[in-house]
Amino acid sequence: MAAPVVDSWSWFPALALGVSLLKCLFINAYHSTDFEVHRNWLAITHSLPVSRWYHENTSEWTLDYPPLFAWFEFGLSHVAQHFDRNMLLVENLNYDSPATVLFQRLSVIFTDLVFIFAVRECCRCVQEQKGSRDILNRPSFVLAVLLLWNFGLLIVDHIHFQYNGFLFGFLLLSVAKHLQVRPRVYVDLSCRNDDCHIYLYVAPAYGIYLLRSYCFTQDNKDGSISWRSFSPLRLIALGSIVGSVCALSFGPFIAMGQLPQVLSRLFPFKRGLCHAYWAPNIWALYNILDKVLVTLGVRLKLLQEAELPRASMTGGLVQEFQHSVLPSITPSITLVCTLLSILPAAASIWWRPGGARGFLRCLLLCALGSFMFGWHVHEKAILIAILPLSILAVESREDAGIFLVLTTTGHYSLFPLIFTPAELPIKAVLMLMFVIYSFTALRKLHRSETSEHRLHWTGGQYLYFHKSHLKILNHFYIKAAVSSCFR
Amino acid sequence: MQTWSLVSLCVLLGVVVRWGVSLNSYSGAGRPPMFGDYEAQRHWQEVTYNLPVQEWYLNTTDNNLNYWGLDYPPLTAYHSLICAYIAKIINPEWVELHKSRGYESPAHKLFMRATVLVADLLIYIPAVVLYCLYLTDGSAKKKVSTLFCFLLYPGLILIDYGHFQYNGVSLGFALWGVLALGLGWDSLGSMAFCLALNYKQMELYHALPFFCYLLGKCVKLGLMGRGFFLLVRIASTVLVTFALCWLPFLSDPSRALQVVRRIFPVARGLFEDKVANTWCSLNILIKIRSILSSDSQIYLSTACTLLAVLPSSVRLLTKPTFWQFKLALANSSLAFFLFSYQVHEKSILLAALPVCLLLNDLPLVAIYFLQVSTFSMVPLLLKDGLLVPYVVTSLAFLFFGVFLLSALEHCSEEELRLGAYHKLLFCLPKLDMACIVRWKFYISVAVMAGLSFASVALVPPPHLPDLFPVLVSTTAFLHFFGTFLYFNVVQFSGPPSRKSQKKKN
């Protein structure tokens, strides 16, 4: 067999093509109500004027993503009309002709190109050891597989049906640009995350890091903040970029005076503390504790069964409701908890930025913190933590350990999303494949390196602090995931 | 990465691809009154479960042989019986006599697809893994690449998991036979092949090479000594296996004869539908079926088949090595496919299996042939609504075959064993045969892509309604015939030289 050229990247298109072809095989697999959601949005953006987009409610699946995503659907709808015009009629609820299914599935596969491009950029940033190395053992190769063939993305995007790959592409691209140290570009891309307000989870990381590293042009010798190096010009540049993207996105709606309506659609607090399927976060544990106490209370005759509210959290319904024994949780409580949980990470990154990888860790911690304590969190949100963690996992042994636990439990928590018997072998086998690969590849990758060498560039104690923080959150996550199995 | 993890990843990916294909439609879906092969398999479960063994192949009031009567040997019937027992536990309606005709439901489809996967996991896939790990040469990575491409062969996946059949069982048993012979376990090999033969009678396509190889081996060991004992052992294994398989039918010779009549229906014509063999292609120019009587057709096809298969078999008899055996398998199955009686397009899978065995040694030609074999079934696949799986699996197979096995790099004249062609074509000026082969490959792929697209997107002119199936089968026939000649030439060339072996590693 010909010896591989050291700098050849021919394996990357092979991986990308392979996973794209695999995605095509799932075209006729089960799809969830999210399929109808997106078809409805195609119909709304195509058939109705902009002023009606956020008011339309013929279907129960109202537009609840930010305007940039609505423009994206508008763009897609122009291609959709060549496949089947009937899908663009708002009245055609639950319309799913073969052409509709084909178009929607292909649109996800096609827009994943953004994700593929972002993964390639991330792979380029990964530190590699010099010298000839077996391709399969290179950090960039392992990272490419862990990202491109990520089990969570595959089943959520290509079976359940969503556009996460497309959206995560922008997130990863901005992360990659941070790692490549390209200031202006990454600022632009950070704002693209406006596409989905779920990225508010990680907004603090971006905000604080950019403020700290971009607006303060220099650090003191020991890495602490140098107040004198503050550049108002850069702050204005940052503010104007963010402002202009927001203006572009929300502008038309502000002009029409629809901002409150848009915001109420984007942040539907009436949907309740937990989603229909519980995300494995703190509130899941809280709910279980409440239920246990109720049962105990009834058994010990401390509570009257008749007085307890009837609403069942596990009924699969999306609604607000009250806890029986423990105090009820309001959105403001969750906000406070979330902010408290990410405070250490944010403070640390302000104090000692630690470069692009410090930013990445902070992003990770913000994502995990928001996941653990947020209001109405979806299970899929764990992917915001898993994907960036992959980058750290191929570079550091400790992170790899955390990654393996987080992905295995996180991906397993996504199982209830695909509940049809026909798709059971697919999700089981894909999960098994990902577990086998991630364990064997990461173990082989980190077997030869010592921990000290890899930790050198990040600065010892802050890294340790971040890692402990991550481990604590991870610990809670596992507990929540396990307990949610018993609900 | 360790080999075991790579192997398990390949197998798991193979399983995912198979299951992904099985999410699509099957043959005869929603098409009463006859439906298709799927209904045939379900019907056999119904018949074998409800009727006594003696009546399985008989035309009775309870068993109307015109409605998908059993026409495979007893092992298929026993397999259907096992599936029927499981079906009865899950939902008795699936196998209720008479009432379950045309039964279709998502749950039933899931069950049937699962039976195919289970059979594959038990029989076919382990054989493929063991073959690639133990009987191919090269580095561990090359073996895993071969395994991956072998498992990804689209033709078998699309027919078994799309159209719906159990070819994995018969081909799997045949592969176990090859594996055993390769490892020197002759009796076990013969037993495995007998099981294959008793599952589907088309395995007769492979029978001659097995026979010649084993006979040749016995002769080489000396018919007066060890060879004789080997011969006796093999013969007794074969007889015992056959006896065990046909046990219920042996008590009454007429019953056994009825089974034979069912599995060899000589009353049918030279060919049915459009198939990429000589007779169908010849029929375009000369209407053979109308010129010759049905008896002469049988004699002609038998004679041509025997003539075609003779050189390869004799060569194998004189040189019973594993390399010759693999080539003879390919040659024999191709000869039968091209010239035999009542050949169906799915029988190309019998030729595809031996060529898969050659993926490691002759990657470019193997990938070329395997892709054409899938392409030759396009009309059938389109009828079953399997366009997307066909496109996806073909693209994947072509790309990964060429990429992982470096097929286009390892095509020098020596590696393609084209040396003999120079001797044959001595009158023509010296050409760069390797370059020609590469260009033929590119052009063929383009032609196949074009014809596939045309079959889907274009409407044939009204006076030529079968234009595209005919074009597909003729193109495929030309490729098959060329490959048949090529493999014969290779079989008669010298054995692979040490130098070329080392270079490949």
Side-chain angles (χ1 to χ4, degrees):
Chain A
M1 203 168 137
V5 178
V6 175
D7 285 333
S8 152
W9 279 70
S10 57
W11 49 265
F12 189 84
L15 282 177
L17 183 67
V19 79
S20 303
L21 288 173
L22 185 66
K23 292 169 189 172
C24 291
L25 280 180
F26 300 148
I27 285 179
N28 282 327
Y30 153 81
H31 51 77
S32 68
T33 48
D34 275 342
F35 180 87
E36 165 61 14
V37 167
H38 287 277
R39 186 216 60 79
N40 188 41
W41 294 355
L42 280 175
I44 291 178
T45 52
H46 189 87
S47 317
L48 299 175
V50 180
S51 55
R52 298 270 327 143
W53 285 3
Y54 283 92
H55 284 278
E56 175 55 42
N57 59 0
T58 310
S59 160
E60 56 179 316
W61 310 116
T62 55
L63 192 52
D64 58 5
Y65 271 28
L68 271 183
F69 195 86
W71 290 111
F72 165 69
E73 293 272 13
F74 179 66
L76 276 183
S77 67
H78 286 287
V79 183
Q81 60 189 348
H82 300 292
F83 278 76
D84 186 349
R85 280 202 157 270
N86 290 329
M87 78 171 102
L88 298 172
L89 298 172
V90 182
E91 312 83 54
N92 271 350
L93 297 182
N94 295 311
Y95 184 74
D96 61 354
S97 68
T100 310
V101 173
L102 184 67
F103 168 72
Q104 296 246 65
R105 292 285 199 200
L106 285 179
S107 68
V108 183
I109 297 171
F110 192 70
T111 51
D112 264 4
L113 281 175
V114 175
F115 183 72
I116 293 173
F117 178 66
V119 170
R120 200 184 73 128
E121 291 300 302
C122 287
C123 290
R124 288 233 227 118
C125 310
V126 168
Q127 294 175 348
E128 311 230 29
Q129 275 203 349
K130 293 275 184 264
S132 68
R133 224 176 179 181
D134 177 20
I135 292 182
L136 295 181
N137 219 16
R138 277 196 217 162
S140 51
F141 180 85
V142 176
L143 180 64
V145 177
L146 290 178
L147 287 174
L148 287 174
W149 289 73
N150 185 290
F151 167 79
L153 269 185
L154 270 176
I155 66 163
V156 171
D157 270 15
H158 301 279
I159 300 184
H160 182 85
F161 195 87
Q162 278 212 326
Y163 285 92
N164 291 308
F166 171 66
L167 298 170
F168 280 123
F170 289 108
L171 179 71
L172 282 181
L173 210 49
S174 70
V175 166
K177 293 306 173 192
H178 272 89
L179 292 171
Q180 288 172 1
V181 194
R182 304 250 183 96
R184 211 170 296 148
V185 182
Y186 65 50
V187 170
D188 294 337
L189 284 165
S190 315
C191 303
R192 284 299 273 127
N193 294 330
D194 185 29
D195 256 347
C196 180
H197 51 321
I198 207 174
Y199 293 119
L200 273 177
Y201 286 7
V202 298
Y206 276 92
I208 296 176
Y209 181 75
L210 285 173
L211 200 58
R212 173 72 174 83
S213 297
Y214 187 63
C215 300
F216 290 87
T217 49
Q218 275 178 2
D219 290 339
N220 286 335
K221 284 231 171 65
D222 62 352
S224 65
I225 194 166
S226 159
W227 293 97
R228 250 173 282 144
S229 71
F230 179 72
S231 156
L233 204 64
R234 283 199 171 183
L235 181 63
I236 294 172
L238 195 61
S240 57
I241 292 178
V242 176
S244 59
V245 174
C246 284
L248 199 66
S249 169
F250 286 88
F253 299 95
I254 298 174
M256 289 187 285
Q258 287 188 0
L259 192 61
Q261 170 71 3
V262 174
L263 288 176
S264 74
R265 284 281 176 90
L266 256 53
F267 301 104
F269 286 108
K270 291 250 180 308
R271 287 212 188 148
L273 179 62
C274 291
H275 189 51
Y277 288 124
W278 292 1
N281 63 3
I282 269 297
W283 308 124
L285 288 177
Y286 193 81
N287 291 343
I288 289 178
L289 188 61
D290 188 60
K291 278 212 177 303
V292 165
L293 289 175
V294 162
T295 321
L296 270 178
V298 167
R299 285 267 171 85
L300 298 174
K301 305 260 196 292
L302 293 171
L303 294 168
Q304 293 297 325
E305 210 172 323
E307 287 170 14
L308 294 171
R310 274 288 176 176
S312 162
M313 285 179 253
T314 52
L317 299 172
V318 172
Q319 61 186 20
E320 258 192 77
F321 83 111
Q322 312 293 327
H323 287 96
S324 315
V325 176
L326 299 170
S328 289
I329 304 290
T330 63
S332 15
I333 297 180
T334 60
L335 183 63
V336 167
C337 290
T338 311
L339 287 176
L340 280 175
S341 75
I342 64 179
L343 201 59
S348 145
I349 206 183
W350 177 262
W351 203 246
R352 290 271 190 281
R357 278 165 179 78
F359 159 72
L360 193 53
R361 277 182 207 291
C362 181
L363 183 141
L364 199 53
L365 287 163
C366 287
L368 267 179
S370 309
F371 182 87
M372 293 303 294
F373 297 100
W375 178 268
H376 202 83
V377 173
H378 288 236
E379 298 159 300
K380 311 165 207 139
I382 196 63
L383 290 174
I384 309 184
I386 290 178
L387 293 177
L389 187 51
S390 318
I391 303 176
L392 296 173
V394 300
E395 291 186 334
S396 138
R397 189 194 289 171
E398 276 204 32
D399 286 327
I402 300 173
F403 171 80
L404 287 175
V405 178
L406 191 65
T407 39
T408 314
T409 44
H411 286 160
Y412 182 67
S413 77
L414 294 173
F415 265 43
L417 280 176
I418 315 287
F419 51 83
T420 45
E423 278 70 26
L424 175 64
I426 296 180
K427 75 180 180 193
V429 172
L430 281 178
M431 174 78 179
L432 194 58
M433 276 172 66
F434 190 81
V435 166
I436 292 177
Y437 183 79
S438 52
F439 273 83
T440 47
L442 286 174
R443 193 187 295 170
K444 185 106 195 274
L445 196 60
H446 295 298
R447 200 190 305 170
S448 42
E449 287 118 33
T450 56
S451 303
E452 280 76 57
H453 169 74
R454 284 299 185 195
L455 290 177
H456 176 70
W457 43 261
T458 45
Q461 67 253 58
Y462 295 100
L463 177 65
Y464 177 73
F465 173 75
H466 280 189
K467 284 187 192 247
S468 320
H469 192 176
L470 193 55
K471 276 189 183 150
I472 294 171
L473 284 177
N474 194 26
H475 183 68
F476 274 115
Y477 179 79
I478 298 169
K479 277 219 169 85
V482 168
S483 58
S484 70
C485 296
F486 294 104
R487 61 174 150 85
Chain B
M1 275 181 75
Q2 294 143 314
T3 313
W4 74 263
S5 49
L6 283 173
V7 167
S8 45
L9 285 173
C10 284
V11 169
L12 289 173
L13 193 56
V15 170
V16 167
V17 171
R18 281 160 167 74
W19 197 258
V21 171
S22 75
L23 293 172
N24 292 279
S25 177
Y26 48 81
S27 92
R31 266 188 256 141
M34 284 304 277
F35 301 94
D37 271 338
Y38 177 91
E39 166 63 15
Q41 299 284 351
R42 190 216 56 74
H43 180 66
W44 294 344
Q45 289 174 13
E46 171 197 337
V47 163
T48 52
Y49 185 82
N50 292 298
L51 301 176
V53 181
Q54 297 79 4
E55 290 183 33
W56 289 354
Y57 290 89
L58 287 178
N59 205 358
T60 63
T61 42
D62 277 336
N63 186 14
N64 178 10
L65 289 182
N66 281 327
Y67 185 79
W68 300 114
L70 257 174
D71 52 6
Y72 282 136
L75 223 53
T76 298
Y78 303 146
H79 182 209
S80 300
L81 184 62
I82 297 172
C83 294
Y85 271 112
I86 303 172
K88 186 82 178 179
I89 297 172
I90 304 175
N91 184 350
E93 279 180 45
W94 292 347
V95 287
E96 224 177 290
L97 194 59
H98 301 314
K99 292 207 200 101
S100 60
R101 262 204 202 179
Y103 190 99
E104 287 180 293
S105 80
H108 185 240
K109 181 182 171 192
L110 188 60
F111 166 73
M112 295 291 272
R113 295 293 196 201
T115 57
V116 182
L117 184 64
V118 167
D120 252 12
L121 283 172
L122 289 176
I123 302 175
Y124 182 72
I125 294 181
V128 174
V129 171
L130 289 174
Y131 173 80
C132 291
L133 288 181
Y134 293 107
L135 287 177
T136 56
D137 3 86
S139 63
K141 257 203 239 134
K142 184 138 198 267
K143 295 187 190 209
V144 173
S145 305
T146 313
L147 171 66
F148 184 58
C149 296
F150 202 137
L151 285 177
L152 215 56
Y153 167 54
L156 187 58
I157 299 178
L158 291 168
I159 294 296
D160 271 13
Y161 292 85
H163 180 83
F164 200 90
Q165 278 208 328
Y166 289 101
N167 293 302
V169 179
S170 59
L171 292 177
F173 278 131
L175 192 51
W176 278 106
V178 171
L179 189 64
L181 293 192
L183 295 172
W185 307 330
D186 298 321
S187 306
L188 281 175
S190 343
M191 187 181 78
F193 184 68
C194 288
L195 289 174
L197 208 47
N198 280 302
Y199 194 88
K200 282 204 181 189
Q201 68 276 30
M202 278 90 78
E203 283 293 327
L204 277 173
Y205 286 23
H206 295 151
L208 260 176
F210 270 87
F211 177 74
C212 294
Y213 177 74
L214 290 170
L215 188 62
K217 210 169 165 192
C218 294
V219 167
K220 253 218 157 76
L221 286 174
L223 270 179
M224 289 301 131
R226 282 170 50 212
F228 181 70
F229 288 117
L230 182 62
L231 191 61
V232 167
R233 219 174 49 225
I234 294 172
S236 37
T237 315
V238 169
L239 285 170
V240 167
T241 317
F242 264 87
L244 283 172
C245 291
W246 288 66
L247 204 57
F249 306 96
L250 290 180
S251 50
D252 186 1
S254 64
R255 222 177 282 154
L257 207 59
Q258 170 65 6
V259 179
V260 173
R261 241 182 265 131
R262 282 297 302 166
I263 65 183
F264 293 111
V266 281
R268 295 196 195 158
L270 191 56
F271 61 86
E272 239 173 67
D273 249 344
K274 306 283 170 284
V275 67
N277 78 349
T278 324
W279 310 125
C280 183
S281 309
L282 203 56
N283 206 50
I284 306 172
L285 302 169
I286 322 167
K287 299 284 171 226
I288 287 194
R289 277 197 292 197
S290 17
I291 296 178
L292 299 173
S293 68
S294 75
D295 275 343
S296 342
Q297 287 171 19
I298 298 179
Y299 294 143
L300 178 64
S301 70
T302 317
C304 288
T305 314
L306 282 177
L307 264 175
V309 94
L310 203 62
S312 160
S313 309
V314 168
R315 174 79 172 170
L316 178 61
L317 205 57
T318 53
K319 270 189 192 247
T321 63
F322 194 62
W323 170 244
Q324 292 281 333
F325 177 52
K326 288 196 290 194
L327 285 168
L329 278 171
N331 281 324
S332 164
S333 39
L334 269 172
F336 273 87
F337 181 84
L338 288 170
F339 297 104
S340 177
Y341 198 77
Q342 258 293 308
V343 173
H344 290 256
E345 66 228 300
K346 298 191 283 288
S347 308
I348 198 59
L349 294 176
L350 290 155
L353 180 73
V355 178
C356 284
L357 300 177
L358 296 167
L359 267 172
N360 198 41
D361 310 288
L362 300 164
L364 182 60
V365 180
I367 294 169
Y368 194 173
F369 176 82
L370 291 171
Q371 187 51 50
V372 179
S373 66
T374 313
F375 166 75
S376 72
M377 296 188 284
V378 157
L380 178 70
L381 299 172
L382 289 181
K383 220 181 341 171
D384 291 338
L386 293 169
L387 173 64
V388 171
Y390 161 68
V391 171
V392 169
T393 48
S394 302
L395 281 175
F397 179 75
L398 265 178
F399 179 80
F400 285 103
V402 169
F403 179 74
L404 288 175
L405 296 175
S406 309
L408 288 172
E409 286 150 42
H410 290 141
C411 57
S412 68
E413 270 195 32
E414 202 185 293
E415 279 159 323
L416 289 175
R417 291 183 234 290
L418 294 169
Y421 274 89
H422 282 302
K423 291 187 211 142
L424 287 172
L425 303 168
F426 58 88
C427 43
L428 293 171
K430 195 156 170 79
L431 303 157
D432 183 358
M433 308 279 334
C435 188
I436 293 180
V437 171
R438 259 205 306 271
W439 274 100
K440 275 201 327 176
F441 176 68
Y442 298 144
I443 296 173
S444 293
V445 170
V447 166
M448 289 193 288
L451 274 176
S452 308
F453 177 76
S455 303
V456 178
L458 302 178
V459 177
H463 58 281
L464 294 169
D466 283 328
L467 177 65
F468 294 124
V470 167
L471 280 175
V472 166
S473 65
T474 323
T475 316
F477 162 70
L478 291 170
H479 284 89
F480 293 157
F481 194 70
T483 318
F484 173 65
L485 291 174
Y486 170 79
F487 280 132
N488 271 295
V489 168
V490 173
Q491 192 174 359
F492 279 88
S493 317
S497 64
R498 287 280 119 200
K499 215 168 50 176
S500 68
Q501 287 267 339
K502 275 220 180 82
K503 205 163 111 184
K504 265 193 289 162
N505 296 357

